[in-house]
Amino acid sequence: MPFCQQISGTNYTFNSLIEVMAKASPLRSGDELAGCAAHSDAERAAACWILADLPLTTFLEDPLVPYETDDVTRLIIDSHDQIAFAPISHLTVGGLRNWLLATAATNDCSTVLSAVAPGITPEMAAAVSKIMRNQDLIAVARAITVTTAFRTTIGLPGRIATRLQPNHPTDDPRGIAAATLDGLLLGCGDAVIGINPATDSPRATAALLHLLDDIRLRFDIPMQSCVLSHVTTTLGLMENNVPVDLIFQSIAGTQGTNTSFGVTIPMLLEAAEAGRSLARGTVGNNVMYLETGQGSALFANAHLGTGGIAVDQQTLEARAYAVARVLDPLLVNTVVGFIGPEYLYNGKQIIRAGLEDHFCGKLLGLPMGVDVCYTNHAEADQDDMDVLLTLLGTAGAAFVIAVPGADDVMLGYQSLSFHDILYVRDIIGLRPAPEFELWLRTLGMADVNGRITPIDLAASPLLGLAGSR
Protein backbone atom coordinates (compact mmCIF):
# COMPACT_ATOMS: atom_id res chain seq x y z
CA MET A 1 0.00 0.00 0.00
CA PRO A 2 1.50 3.38 -0.98
CA PHE A 3 1.80 6.23 1.53
CA CYS A 4 1.55 9.85 0.36
CA GLN A 5 2.38 13.17 1.95
CA GLN A 6 2.47 16.70 0.56
CA ILE A 7 5.02 19.26 1.76
CA SER A 8 5.23 22.79 0.33
CA GLY A 9 3.22 21.79 -2.73
CA THR A 10 5.29 18.69 -3.52
CA ASN A 11 3.76 15.22 -3.26
CA TYR A 12 5.94 12.46 -1.85
CA THR A 13 4.93 8.85 -2.36
CA PHE A 14 6.39 5.83 -0.54
CA ASN A 15 5.52 2.38 -1.83
CA SER A 16 5.83 0.41 1.40
CA LEU A 17 6.26 0.60 5.15
CA ILE A 18 9.89 -0.43 4.64
CA GLU A 19 10.44 2.63 2.46
CA VAL A 20 8.74 4.96 4.95
CA MET A 21 10.96 3.64 7.77
CA ALA A 22 14.14 3.95 5.73
CA LYS A 23 13.47 7.43 4.44
CA ALA A 24 12.41 8.71 7.86
CA SER A 25 15.84 7.80 9.23
CA PRO A 26 18.35 10.56 9.93
CA LEU A 27 21.00 10.62 7.21
CA ARG A 28 23.68 7.95 7.41
CA SER A 29 26.11 6.58 4.89
CA GLY A 30 25.03 2.95 5.31
CA ASP A 31 21.51 3.69 4.12
CA GLU A 32 22.94 5.65 1.19
CA LEU A 33 25.13 2.65 0.36
CA ALA A 34 22.07 0.38 0.51
CA GLY A 35 20.11 2.78 -1.74
CA CYS A 36 17.28 3.29 0.73
CA ALA A 37 18.05 6.74 2.19
CA ALA A 38 15.88 9.80 1.58
CA HIS A 39 17.05 11.91 -1.35
CA SER A 40 16.39 15.22 0.40
CA ASP A 41 15.53 16.70 3.78
CA ALA A 42 12.03 17.41 2.45
CA GLU A 43 11.50 13.75 1.53
CA ARG A 44 12.80 12.74 4.96
CA ALA A 45 10.36 15.14 6.63
CA ALA A 46 7.49 13.73 4.57
CA ALA A 47 8.39 10.18 5.64
CA CYS A 48 8.59 11.26 9.29
CA TRP A 49 5.16 12.91 8.99
CA ILE A 50 3.64 9.70 7.64
CA LEU A 51 5.45 7.58 10.24
CA ALA A 52 4.19 9.72 13.12
CA ASP A 53 0.56 9.09 12.07
CA LEU A 54 0.87 5.30 11.72
CA PRO A 55 -0.81 3.14 14.38
CA LEU A 56 1.59 0.98 16.37
CA THR A 57 -0.47 -2.05 15.36
CA THR A 58 0.80 -1.52 11.79
CA PHE A 59 4.09 -3.14 12.79
CA LEU A 60 2.32 -6.29 13.96
CA GLU A 61 0.28 -6.53 10.76
CA ASP A 62 2.97 -5.64 8.20
CA PRO A 63 6.33 -7.30 9.05
CA LEU A 64 9.31 -5.59 7.42
CA VAL A 65 11.17 -8.90 7.10
CA PRO A 66 9.03 -11.92 6.09
CA TYR A 67 7.75 -14.11 8.92
CA GLU A 68 8.03 -17.24 6.78
CA THR A 69 11.74 -16.90 6.00
CA ASP A 70 13.24 -15.14 9.01
CA ASP A 71 13.47 -16.58 12.51
CA VAL A 72 14.08 -13.17 14.10
CA THR A 73 10.72 -11.98 12.74
CA ARG A 74 9.07 -15.14 14.07
CA LEU A 75 10.67 -14.52 17.47
CA ILE A 76 9.40 -10.92 17.50
CA ILE A 77 5.83 -11.81 16.52
CA ASP A 78 5.48 -15.05 18.50
CA SER A 79 6.87 -13.59 21.73
CA HIS A 80 4.94 -10.31 21.57
CA ASP A 81 3.20 -9.66 24.90
CA GLN A 82 -0.32 -8.43 24.13
CA ILE A 83 -1.07 -7.70 27.79
CA ALA A 84 1.98 -5.44 28.13
CA PHE A 85 1.08 -3.81 24.81
CA ALA A 86 -2.53 -3.06 25.82
CA PRO A 87 -1.88 0.33 27.56
CA ILE A 88 -0.28 1.75 24.39
CA SER A 89 -2.04 -0.30 21.71
CA HIS A 90 -4.28 2.61 20.70
CA LEU A 91 -1.36 4.95 20.00
CA THR A 92 0.28 6.05 16.80
CA VAL A 93 4.07 6.32 16.53
CA GLY A 94 3.79 10.04 17.25
CA GLY A 95 1.47 9.30 20.14
CA LEU A 96 4.02 6.86 21.55
CA ARG A 97 6.67 9.58 21.43
CA ASN A 98 4.44 11.92 23.39
CA TRP A 99 3.48 9.19 25.86
CA LEU A 100 7.14 8.23 26.44
CA LEU A 101 8.18 11.82 27.11
CA ALA A 102 5.23 12.44 29.42
CA THR A 103 5.82 9.20 31.29
CA ALA A 104 9.54 9.94 31.63
CA ALA A 105 8.64 13.09 33.57
CA THR A 106 6.64 11.20 36.25
CA ASN A 107 7.85 9.79 39.55
CA ASP A 108 7.13 6.15 38.74
CA CYS A 109 8.43 6.37 35.17
CA SER A 110 10.81 3.41 35.30
CA THR A 111 8.14 1.04 36.62
CA VAL A 112 5.65 2.09 33.93
CA LEU A 113 8.19 1.97 31.09
CA SER A 114 9.53 -1.41 32.20
CA ALA A 115 6.00 -2.83 32.32
CA VAL A 116 5.28 -1.99 28.66
CA ALA A 117 8.69 -3.10 27.35
CA PRO A 118 7.57 -6.67 26.45
CA GLY A 119 4.74 -5.16 24.37
CA ILE A 120 7.01 -2.94 22.30
CA THR A 121 8.50 -4.58 19.21
CA PRO A 122 11.90 -3.54 17.86
CA GLU A 123 10.23 -1.99 14.82
CA MET A 124 8.05 0.17 17.08
CA ALA A 125 11.12 1.27 19.04
CA ALA A 126 13.01 2.06 15.83
CA ALA A 127 10.05 3.95 14.40
CA VAL A 128 9.57 6.21 17.40
CA SER A 129 13.30 6.89 17.64
CA LYS A 130 13.29 8.22 14.08
CA ILE A 131 10.94 11.07 15.01
CA MET A 132 12.73 11.94 18.27
CA ARG A 133 15.39 14.57 18.78
CA ASN A 134 18.60 13.67 20.60
CA GLN A 135 17.28 15.22 23.81
CA ASP A 136 14.16 13.04 23.56
CA LEU A 137 16.27 9.89 23.24
CA ILE A 138 18.31 10.93 26.27
CA ALA A 139 15.35 11.92 28.45
CA VAL A 140 13.43 8.69 27.92
CA ALA A 141 16.46 6.40 28.20
CA ARG A 142 17.48 8.09 31.44
CA ALA A 143 14.02 7.37 32.90
CA ILE A 144 14.39 3.61 32.38
CA THR A 145 16.22 1.40 34.87
CA VAL A 146 17.35 -2.05 33.73
CA THR A 147 19.48 -3.99 36.20
CA THR A 148 21.33 -7.28 35.78
CA ALA A 149 23.92 -9.03 37.91
CA PHE A 150 26.64 -11.67 38.03
CA ARG A 151 29.42 -10.73 40.48
CA THR A 152 28.62 -7.04 40.12
CA THR A 153 25.29 -5.30 39.62
CA ILE A 154 24.90 -3.47 36.30
CA GLY A 155 22.52 -0.64 35.42
CA LEU A 156 21.72 0.94 38.77
CA PRO A 157 20.80 4.66 38.65
CA GLY A 158 23.72 7.00 39.28
CA ARG A 159 26.31 4.46 38.17
CA ILE A 160 28.17 3.63 34.98
CA ALA A 161 30.23 0.46 34.65
CA THR A 162 33.07 -0.27 32.26
CA ARG A 163 34.37 -3.10 30.19
CA LEU A 164 38.14 -3.15 30.66
CA GLN A 165 39.43 -4.27 27.24
CA PRO A 166 43.10 -5.34 27.58
CA ASN A 167 43.56 -6.62 24.02
CA HIS A 168 47.00 -7.59 22.72
CA PRO A 169 48.05 -8.37 19.11
CA THR A 170 49.61 -11.70 20.11
CA ASP A 171 47.62 -12.44 23.28
CA ASP A 172 50.83 -11.97 25.28
CA PRO A 173 49.87 -12.57 28.95
CA ARG A 174 52.34 -9.91 30.14
CA GLY A 175 50.84 -7.29 27.87
CA ILE A 176 47.30 -8.25 28.89
CA ALA A 177 48.26 -8.18 32.58
CA ALA A 178 49.85 -4.75 32.20
CA ALA A 179 46.75 -3.32 30.51
CA THR A 180 44.54 -4.95 33.15
CA LEU A 181 46.58 -3.37 35.95
CA ASP A 182 46.35 0.01 34.22
CA GLY A 183 42.59 -0.24 34.03
CA LEU A 184 42.03 -1.53 37.56
CA LEU A 185 44.11 1.27 39.04
CA LEU A 186 41.83 3.77 37.28
CA GLY A 187 38.63 2.10 38.48
CA CYS A 188 37.69 0.19 35.32
CA GLY A 189 36.55 -3.40 34.89
CA ASP A 190 33.31 -3.51 36.87
CA ALA A 191 31.15 -4.55 33.89
CA VAL A 192 33.61 -7.14 32.63
CA ILE A 193 37.27 -7.63 31.84
CA GLY A 194 36.85 -8.77 28.27
CA ILE A 195 39.54 -9.77 25.80
CA ASN A 196 39.15 -9.98 22.03
CA PRO A 197 41.49 -12.89 21.29
CA ALA A 198 43.91 -12.69 18.40
CA THR A 199 42.71 -16.15 17.29
CA ASP A 200 39.67 -18.30 18.00
CA SER A 201 41.87 -21.20 19.10
CA PRO A 202 40.33 -23.11 22.03
CA ARG A 203 43.78 -23.49 23.59
CA ALA A 204 44.49 -19.74 23.41
CA THR A 205 41.02 -18.89 24.70
CA ALA A 206 41.42 -21.30 27.61
CA ALA A 207 44.79 -19.79 28.53
CA LEU A 208 43.31 -16.29 28.60
CA LEU A 209 40.33 -17.40 30.69
CA HIS A 210 42.66 -19.02 33.22
CA LEU A 211 44.75 -15.85 33.33
CA LEU A 212 41.75 -13.64 34.07
CA ASP A 213 40.31 -16.02 36.64
CA ASP A 214 43.68 -16.27 38.38
CA ILE A 215 43.76 -12.46 38.62
CA ARG A 216 40.23 -12.41 40.03
CA LEU A 217 40.97 -15.02 42.68
CA ARG A 218 44.43 -13.68 43.55
CA PHE A 219 43.16 -10.19 44.33
CA ASP A 220 39.61 -11.14 45.38
CA ILE A 221 38.07 -8.86 42.76
CA PRO A 222 34.28 -8.81 42.37
CA MET A 223 34.34 -9.01 38.58
CA GLN A 224 33.38 -11.20 35.67
CA SER A 225 35.68 -12.12 32.82
CA CYS A 226 35.07 -12.97 29.20
CA VAL A 227 37.15 -13.95 26.19
CA LEU A 228 35.19 -12.98 23.11
CA SER A 229 35.54 -16.21 21.16
CA HIS A 230 32.73 -17.73 19.15
CA VAL A 231 29.96 -19.21 21.27
CA THR A 232 30.75 -22.75 20.09
CA THR A 233 34.36 -22.37 21.22
CA THR A 234 33.20 -21.22 24.65
CA LEU A 235 30.68 -24.07 24.97
CA GLY A 236 33.44 -26.57 24.24
CA LEU A 237 35.65 -25.04 26.91
CA MET A 238 32.85 -25.17 29.46
CA GLU A 239 32.58 -28.90 28.87
CA ASN A 240 36.28 -29.15 29.77
CA ASN A 241 35.91 -27.24 33.04
CA VAL A 242 37.65 -24.08 31.87
CA PRO A 243 36.56 -21.17 34.14
CA VAL A 244 33.93 -19.44 31.98
CA ASP A 245 31.99 -16.56 33.52
CA LEU A 246 30.23 -14.86 30.59
CA ILE A 247 29.39 -16.31 27.19
CA PHE A 248 29.95 -13.89 24.33
CA GLN A 249 28.44 -13.68 20.88
CA SER A 250 27.87 -11.06 18.21
CA ILE A 251 24.23 -11.05 17.11
CA ALA A 252 22.16 -9.25 14.48
CA GLY A 253 18.61 -8.50 13.40
CA THR A 254 18.10 -10.96 10.53
CA GLN A 255 18.43 -14.71 10.25
CA GLY A 256 20.83 -14.31 7.35
CA THR A 257 23.22 -12.11 9.32
CA ASN A 258 23.19 -14.46 12.31
CA THR A 259 23.89 -17.33 9.92
CA SER A 260 26.93 -15.38 8.69
CA PHE A 261 28.05 -15.21 12.33
CA GLY A 262 27.64 -18.98 12.57
CA VAL A 263 24.83 -18.90 15.14
CA THR A 264 21.14 -19.68 15.45
CA ILE A 265 18.66 -18.62 18.11
CA PRO A 266 18.35 -22.18 19.51
CA MET A 267 22.16 -22.36 19.76
CA LEU A 268 22.23 -19.11 21.74
CA LEU A 269 19.44 -20.28 24.05
CA GLU A 270 21.38 -23.49 24.69
CA ALA A 271 24.51 -21.48 25.51
CA ALA A 272 22.63 -19.25 27.96
CA GLU A 273 21.20 -22.27 29.75
CA ALA A 274 24.61 -23.94 29.90
CA GLY A 275 26.18 -20.81 31.36
CA ARG A 276 23.50 -20.44 34.00
CA SER A 277 23.93 -24.08 35.00
CA LEU A 278 27.49 -23.32 36.15
CA ALA A 279 26.13 -20.94 38.83
CA ARG A 280 29.40 -19.00 39.02
CA GLY A 281 27.74 -15.69 39.82
CA THR A 282 27.53 -14.35 43.38
CA VAL A 283 24.89 -11.61 43.20
CA GLY A 284 23.07 -12.80 40.07
CA ASN A 285 23.16 -15.28 37.22
CA ASN A 286 22.91 -13.26 33.99
CA VAL A 287 25.60 -14.90 31.89
CA MET A 288 25.38 -13.64 28.29
CA TYR A 289 27.48 -10.82 26.81
CA LEU A 290 26.16 -9.73 23.42
CA GLU A 291 27.47 -7.23 20.87
CA THR A 292 25.63 -5.61 17.99
CA GLY A 293 26.28 -2.75 15.58
CA GLN A 294 24.51 -0.77 12.89
CA GLY A 295 25.51 -1.94 9.44
CA SER A 296 26.24 -5.60 10.20
CA ALA A 297 23.28 -6.87 8.12
CA LEU A 298 24.27 -4.74 5.13
CA PHE A 299 27.87 -5.89 5.50
CA ALA A 300 26.63 -9.50 5.37
CA ASN A 301 24.31 -8.75 2.43
CA ALA A 302 21.42 -9.91 4.61
CA HIS A 303 19.54 -6.61 4.87
CA LEU A 304 16.64 -7.16 2.46
CA GLY A 305 13.08 -7.32 3.68
CA THR A 306 9.68 -8.09 2.20
CA GLY A 307 9.74 -7.83 -1.59
CA GLY A 308 13.53 -7.73 -1.66
CA ILE A 309 13.56 -4.10 -0.48
CA ALA A 310 16.47 -2.85 1.64
CA VAL A 311 15.60 -2.29 5.30
CA ASP A 312 17.40 0.62 6.96
CA GLN A 313 20.32 -0.26 9.21
CA GLN A 314 18.92 1.27 12.39
CA THR A 315 15.72 -0.78 12.21
CA LEU A 316 17.76 -3.95 11.63
CA GLU A 317 19.93 -3.02 14.60
CA ALA A 318 16.84 -2.70 16.82
CA ARG A 319 15.70 -6.14 15.68
CA ALA A 320 18.92 -7.58 17.09
CA TYR A 321 17.65 -6.53 20.52
CA ALA A 322 14.77 -8.98 20.20
CA VAL A 323 17.35 -11.76 20.04
CA ALA A 324 19.21 -10.22 22.96
CA ARG A 325 16.28 -9.90 25.33
CA VAL A 326 15.17 -13.51 25.01
CA LEU A 327 18.67 -14.48 26.26
CA ASP A 328 18.38 -12.46 29.50
CA PRO A 329 21.94 -11.07 29.17
CA LEU A 330 24.20 -9.38 31.70
CA LEU A 331 25.55 -6.98 29.08
CA VAL A 332 24.59 -5.77 25.60
CA ASN A 333 26.53 -3.16 23.71
CA THR A 334 26.50 -1.63 20.27
CA VAL A 335 29.94 -1.08 18.77
CA VAL A 336 28.59 2.05 17.24
CA GLY A 337 31.42 3.27 15.01
CA PHE A 338 33.44 0.10 14.63
CA ILE A 339 32.40 -1.09 11.17
CA GLY A 340 33.55 2.12 9.51
CA PRO A 341 32.52 5.25 7.61
CA GLU A 342 30.77 3.21 4.92
CA TYR A 343 27.99 2.76 7.52
CA LEU A 344 28.40 5.77 9.84
CA TYR A 345 30.38 8.41 8.00
CA ASN A 346 31.27 11.02 10.59
CA GLY A 347 31.06 12.06 14.22
CA LYS A 348 27.52 13.43 13.86
CA GLN A 349 26.22 10.14 12.47
CA ILE A 350 28.07 8.10 15.11
CA ILE A 351 26.69 10.24 17.94
CA ARG A 352 23.13 9.97 16.65
CA ALA A 353 23.42 6.21 16.11
CA GLY A 354 24.83 5.69 19.60
CA LEU A 355 21.91 7.53 21.19
CA GLU A 356 19.39 5.67 19.02
CA ASP A 357 20.84 2.26 19.86
CA HIS A 358 21.02 3.03 23.57
CA PHE A 359 17.45 4.32 23.61
CA CYS A 360 16.01 1.37 21.67
CA GLY A 361 17.89 -1.16 23.79
CA LYS A 362 16.71 0.28 27.10
CA LEU A 363 13.16 0.75 25.81
CA LEU A 364 13.09 -2.95 24.97
CA GLY A 365 14.34 -3.85 28.47
CA LEU A 366 18.05 -4.45 27.92
CA PRO A 367 21.09 -3.51 30.06
CA MET A 368 22.42 -1.37 27.24
CA GLY A 369 25.98 -0.15 26.83
CA VAL A 370 27.93 1.42 23.99
CA ASP A 371 31.43 1.05 22.64
CA VAL A 372 32.05 4.75 21.98
CA CYS A 373 34.39 4.32 19.05
CA TYR A 374 35.43 5.08 15.48
CA THR A 375 37.87 3.80 12.89
CA ASN A 376 40.84 5.86 11.79
CA HIS A 377 39.44 6.46 8.30
CA ALA A 378 36.15 7.91 9.58
CA GLU A 379 35.46 11.65 9.67
CA ALA A 380 35.46 11.60 13.47
CA ASP A 381 37.86 12.29 16.30
CA GLN A 382 38.17 12.03 20.07
CA ASP A 383 36.19 15.25 20.58
CA ASP A 384 33.19 13.49 19.02
CA MET A 385 33.72 10.59 21.43
CA ASP A 386 33.82 13.03 24.36
CA VAL A 387 30.44 14.36 23.29
CA LEU A 388 28.88 10.91 22.91
CA LEU A 389 30.33 9.69 26.22
CA THR A 390 28.94 12.71 28.05
CA LEU A 391 25.50 12.26 26.47
CA LEU A 392 25.44 8.54 27.29
CA GLY A 393 26.44 9.24 30.88
CA THR A 394 23.52 11.66 31.10
CA ALA A 395 21.22 9.11 29.41
CA GLY A 396 22.02 6.41 31.98
CA ALA A 397 24.06 3.98 29.90
CA ALA A 398 24.75 0.75 31.76
CA PHE A 399 28.39 0.62 30.68
CA VAL A 400 30.97 1.73 28.16
CA ILE A 401 34.23 0.22 26.94
CA ALA A 402 37.71 1.52 27.77
CA VAL A 403 41.16 0.58 26.45
CA PRO A 404 44.67 1.82 27.26
CA GLY A 405 45.14 5.28 25.77
CA ALA A 406 41.84 5.02 23.85
CA ASP A 407 43.74 3.08 21.15
CA ASP A 408 43.05 -0.62 20.68
CA VAL A 409 46.36 -1.92 19.35
CA MET A 410 44.90 -5.30 18.38
CA LEU A 411 41.64 -4.32 16.66
CA GLY A 412 43.08 -1.08 15.27
CA TYR A 413 40.32 1.35 16.20
CA GLN A 414 39.79 4.22 18.63
CA SER A 415 37.62 3.89 21.72
CA LEU A 416 37.66 5.48 25.19
CA SER A 417 40.60 5.60 27.59
CA PHE A 418 40.52 4.69 31.27
CA HIS A 419 40.95 8.39 32.04
CA ASP A 420 37.80 9.17 30.05
CA ILE A 421 35.88 7.10 32.59
CA LEU A 422 37.27 9.20 35.43
CA TYR A 423 36.04 12.27 33.56
CA VAL A 424 32.46 11.12 32.99
CA ARG A 425 32.06 9.75 36.50
CA ASP A 426 33.36 12.97 38.02
CA ILE A 427 31.56 15.48 35.79
CA ILE A 428 28.14 13.81 36.07
CA GLY A 429 28.56 12.32 39.55
CA LEU A 430 28.44 8.67 38.50
CA ARG A 431 29.93 5.77 40.46
CA PRO A 432 31.21 2.28 39.66
CA ALA A 433 29.10 -0.83 40.27
CA PRO A 434 28.55 -1.08 44.05
CA GLU A 435 30.41 -4.35 44.65
CA PHE A 436 33.40 -3.14 42.64
CA GLU A 437 33.35 0.25 44.36
CA LEU A 438 33.51 -1.46 47.75
CA TRP A 439 36.56 -3.43 46.60
CA LEU A 440 38.24 -0.22 45.41
CA ARG A 441 37.55 1.45 48.75
CA THR A 442 38.83 -1.57 50.68
CA LEU A 443 42.16 -1.26 48.84
CA GLY A 444 42.27 2.50 49.40
CA MET A 445 41.79 3.18 45.69
CA ALA A 446 38.51 5.09 46.01
CA ASP A 447 36.98 7.51 48.49
CA VAL A 448 33.54 7.31 50.08
CA ASN A 449 32.02 8.94 47.00
CA GLY A 450 33.47 6.32 44.67
CA ARG A 451 36.10 8.66 43.22
CA ILE A 452 39.47 7.13 42.40
CA THR A 453 42.24 8.34 44.72
CA PRO A 454 46.04 8.27 44.27
CA ILE A 455 47.71 5.29 45.93
CA ASP A 456 51.22 4.15 46.68
CA LEU A 457 51.57 1.42 44.05
CA ALA A 458 54.65 0.02 45.78
CA ALA A 459 52.48 -0.75 48.81
CA SER A 460 49.49 -2.02 46.84
CA PRO A 461 48.70 -5.72 46.57
CA LEU A 462 48.11 -5.08 42.87
CA LEU A 463 51.84 -4.56 42.37
CA GLY A 464 52.18 -8.29 41.85
CA LEU A 465 49.94 -8.06 38.81
CA ALA A 466 52.58 -6.00 37.01
CA GLY A 467 54.87 -9.00 36.98
CA SER A 468 52.26 -11.59 36.07
CA ARG A 469 53.38 -14.28 33.65
Side-chain angles (χ1 to χ4, degrees):
M1 179 184 73
F3 301 85
C4 300
Q5 180 66 46
Q6 185 180 90
I7 292 183
S8 300
T10 301
N11 291 315
Y12 294 91
T13 301
F14 308 92
N15 293 319
S16 65
L17 179 59
I18 296 176
E19 188 176 354
V20 171
M21 288 282 280
K23 293 194 173 181
S25 296
L27 180 65
R28 62 206 60 200
S29 53
D31 290 340
E32 292 181 305
L33 182 63
C36 63
H39 294 100
S40 67
D41 289 338
E43 185 180 33
R44 184 173 296 107
C48 286
W49 199 313
I50 292 169
L51 189 60
D53 287 338
L54 288 180
L56 293 179
T57 51
T58 304
F59 298 96
L60 299 172
E61 300 161 356
D62 189 4
L64 304 186
V65 183
Y67 181 94
E68 297 78 15
T69 59
D70 189 273
D71 60 2
V72 178
T73 300
R74 292 195 292 275
L75 174 67
I76 291 168
I77 299 300
D78 295 349
S79 64
H80 183 245
D81 190 328
Q82 291 285 351
I83 295 175
F85 181 56
I88 59 172
S89 61
H90 63 289
L91 295 176
T92 62
V93 173
L96 177 60
R97 172 190 176 273
N98 295 338
W99 181 86
L100 289 172
L101 289 168
T103 303
T106 63
N107 291 331
D108 60 345
C109 54
S110 186
T111 301
V112 174
L113 293 171
S114 296
V116 302
I120 298 175
T121 68
E123 290 85 353
M124 294 175 194
V128 74
S129 75
K130 294 177 191 298
I131 62 169
M132 296 173 80
R133 292 171 57 185
N134 286 358
Q135 65 172 256
D136 299 339
L137 299 174
I138 293 167
V140 175
R142 182 180 178 85
I144 302 170
T145 298
V146 180
T147 58
T148 55
F150 189 75
R151 293 194 189 98
T152 61
T153 304
I154 306 300
L156 291 170
R159 299 182 184 269
I160 189 168
T162 56
R163 171 183 163 190
L164 197 172
Q165 185 167 293
N167 293 344
H168 192 278
T170 63
D171 291 338
D172 186 332
R174 294 169 299 176
I176 289 171
T180 300
L181 173 63
D182 189 14
L184 289 171
L185 288 172
L186 292 169
C188 294
D190 45 342
V192 63
I193 300 182
I195 303 170
N196 296 89
T199 73
D200 201 43
S201 156
R203 175 181 289 184
T205 299
L208 294 174
L209 286 168
H210 280 295
L211 170 64
L212 293 178
D213 205 51
D214 288 348
I215 291 172
R216 175 182 70 86
L217 294 171
R218 181 176 177 181
F219 300 106
D220 195 24
I221 309 173
M223 55 163 269
Q224 38 276 337
S225 62
C226 186
V227 176
L228 281 65
S229 293
H230 192 270
V231 63
T232 54
T233 300
T234 304
L235 281 170
L237 295 175
M238 290 166 61
E239 294 172 357
N240 288 289
N241 298 317
V242 174
V244 172
D245 288 343
L246 304 186
I247 301 166
F248 170 81
Q249 186 54 49
S250 294
I251 58 171
T254 66
Q255 180 174 338
T257 315
N258 287 322
T259 298
S260 76
F261 291 157
V263 296
T264 64
I265 294 173
M267 181 190 299
L268 294 169
L269 289 168
E270 176 189 350
E273 182 59 32
R276 286 190 289 267
S277 71
L278 298 178
R280 288 175 57 84
T282 55
V283 295
N285 205 24
N286 300 108
V287 299
M288 297 299 288
Y289 175 24
L290 306 168
E291 280 193 342
T292 67
Q294 287 195 29
S296 59
L298 177 57
F299 183 83
N301 196 30
H303 62 292
L304 302 181
T306 301
I309 303 170
V311 181
D312 69 274
Q313 66 182 38
Q314 190 253 334
T315 297
L316 293 178
E317 167 70 9
R319 283 169 53 90
Y321 306 152
V323 180
R325 68 177 172 182
V326 77
L327 298 171
D328 197 18
L330 178 73
L331 306 167
V332 182
N333 74 258
T334 168
V335 281
V336 69
F338 180 74
I339 304 182
E342 299 83 1
Y343 305 92
L344 294 169
Y345 180 71
N346 56 20
K348 180 180 177 66
Q349 293 185 13
I350 292 170
I351 289 167
R352 173 68 190 192
L355 294 176
E356 288 171 348
D357 295 352
H358 177 254
F359 162 83
C360 288
K362 287 192 79 175
L363 185 62
L364 293 169
L366 293 174
M368 200 68 194
V370 178
D371 188 356
V372 179
C373 64
Y374 63 100
T375 58
N376 286 311
H377 61 310
E379 289 293 321
D381 58 29
Q382 217 61 35
D383 285 340
D384 296 312
M385 301 306 102
D386 289 346
V387 171
L388 181 53
L389 172 61
T390 306
L391 295 176
L392 288 169
T394 304
F399 73 105
V400 291
I401 293 176
V403 305
D407 184 4
D408 191 304
V409 296
M410 195 277 279
L411 293 176
Y413 79 117
Q414 307 303 306
S415 186
L416 299 175
S417 73
F418 303 136
H419 293 83
D420 293 331
I421 309 308
L422 297 183
Y423 151 77
V424 76
R425 284 175 174 164
D426 183 63
I427 203 73
I428 302 179
L430 301 173
R431 306 172 75 136
E435 301 84 359
F436 193 79
E437 180 186 323
L438 179 61
W439 176 77
L440 292 171
R441 290 171 57 187
T442 301
L443 268 62
M445 294 167 56
D447 64 19
V448 294
N449 297 311
R451 290 193 178 98
I452 301 301
T453 57
I455 64 167
D456 179 3
L457 182 57
S460 171
L462 287 175
L463 178 64
L465 183 52
S468 290
R469 291 194 270 188

